[in-house]
Amino acid sequence: MVFAPDTEANLRTAADLVNTGRRRDGRDRLGTVADLDAFYTGWAYSVRHDHDETELAQVREARSRIGALWALDRDAAAQEVNTMLREAHAVPYLIRHGSTDWHLHATVPDAPLATVMLVETAMAVADVVRSDQWDRLRSCQAPDCTAVLVDLSRNRSRQFCEANGCGNRTHVAAYRARHAPT
């Protein structure tokens, strides 16, 4: 484990959120309220969820802002994290609920889902910045992909996203090229 469990979970969630809009098939995985409901359930959120178009629009805006973090350098990311936390009036506190041991929350219990997403991402990215692990946030190396990833591997070797199956596609293409008739 590179970071605390909640940090790793928040980083994975943030990358998945960003990648809902960076699919190779062109389908936005946050195109409808039902898509947002599935994302909410899939990542086991336990915060306020309004199930409406306004919330969907707010989450999609948060997704864009979170996605922009991957294009920043470490210093600029630190400034953006500070801005996100300040705008949300974030006040970190330890909490334990369900089967999850002590971890950090930083929003009021009834905060909008988009605010929770921004703050949880900002808190996780703050850990990445202060640990000088910025190189773990990267873009997929497949030439036809714009997805992002978080490399939590021990040897920092992850190159491809999971959202579009790019590792498998790249390896299959390389295999076919090696075995193609000359």
Side-chain angles (χ1 to χ4, degrees):
M1 181 170 23
V2 178
F3 301 106
D6 58 326
T7 296
E8 290 188 7
N10 290 339
L11 290 170
R12 285 187 180 106
T13 304
D16 193 32
L17 176 65
V18 170
N19 291 338
T20 60
R22 298 185 180 192
R23 306 282 305 184
R24 287 184 64 246
D25 63 10
R27 181 179 178 273
D28 187 339
R29 301 287 178 177
L30 281 183
T32 66
V33 172
D35 291 337
L36 179 57
D37 291 345
F39 187 88
Y40 181 95
T41 302
W43 282 102
Y45 278 98
S46 60
V47 298
R48 175 179 149 194
H49 183 28
D50 297 337
H51 306 277
D52 61 24
E53 292 291 332
T54 300
E55 181 182 56
L56 176 62
Q58 291 170 345
V59 168
R60 290 178 72 166
E61 184 177 318
R63 174 181 69 182
S64 294
R65 193 164 180 194
I66 291 167
L69 288 169
W70 268 261
L72 301 176
D73 65 26
R74 183 173 171 232
D75 292 340
Q79 294 304 314
E80 179 60 15
V81 162
N82 287 338
T83 300
M84 288 174 165
L85 294 172
R86 186 173 43 256
E87 288 174 359
H89 305 287
V91 178
Y93 60 95
L94 286 165
I95 188 167
R96 180 168 49 191
H97 53 80
S99 63
T100 307
D101 201 6
W102 290 109
H103 59 284
L104 287 171
H105 280 208
T107 56
V108 294
D110 65 340
L113 178 58
T115 300
V116 171
M117 290 173 160
L118 283 167
V119 169
E120 286 183 352
T121 300
M123 296 286 291
V125 171
D127 279 353
V128 174
V129 169
R130 67 191 186 93
S131 301
D132 195 15
Q133 300 288 315
W134 192 249
D135 61 333
R136 291 187 179 275
L137 300 185
R138 40 180 95 132
S139 296
C140 182
Q141 295 301 297
D144 59 343
C145 186
T146 61
V148 299
L149 60 101
V150 179
D151 184 0
L152 297 173
S153 67
R154 185 174 291 203
N155 64 358
R156 300 170 190 243
S157 61
R158 191 158 168 225
Q159 297 178 357
F160 303 107
C161 72
E162 294 174 6
N164 293 311
C166 291
N168 189 47
R169 285 184 316 103
T170 302
H171 291 111
V172 167
Y175 174 84
R176 289 181 178 159
R178 284 191 310 272
H179 292 88
T182 54

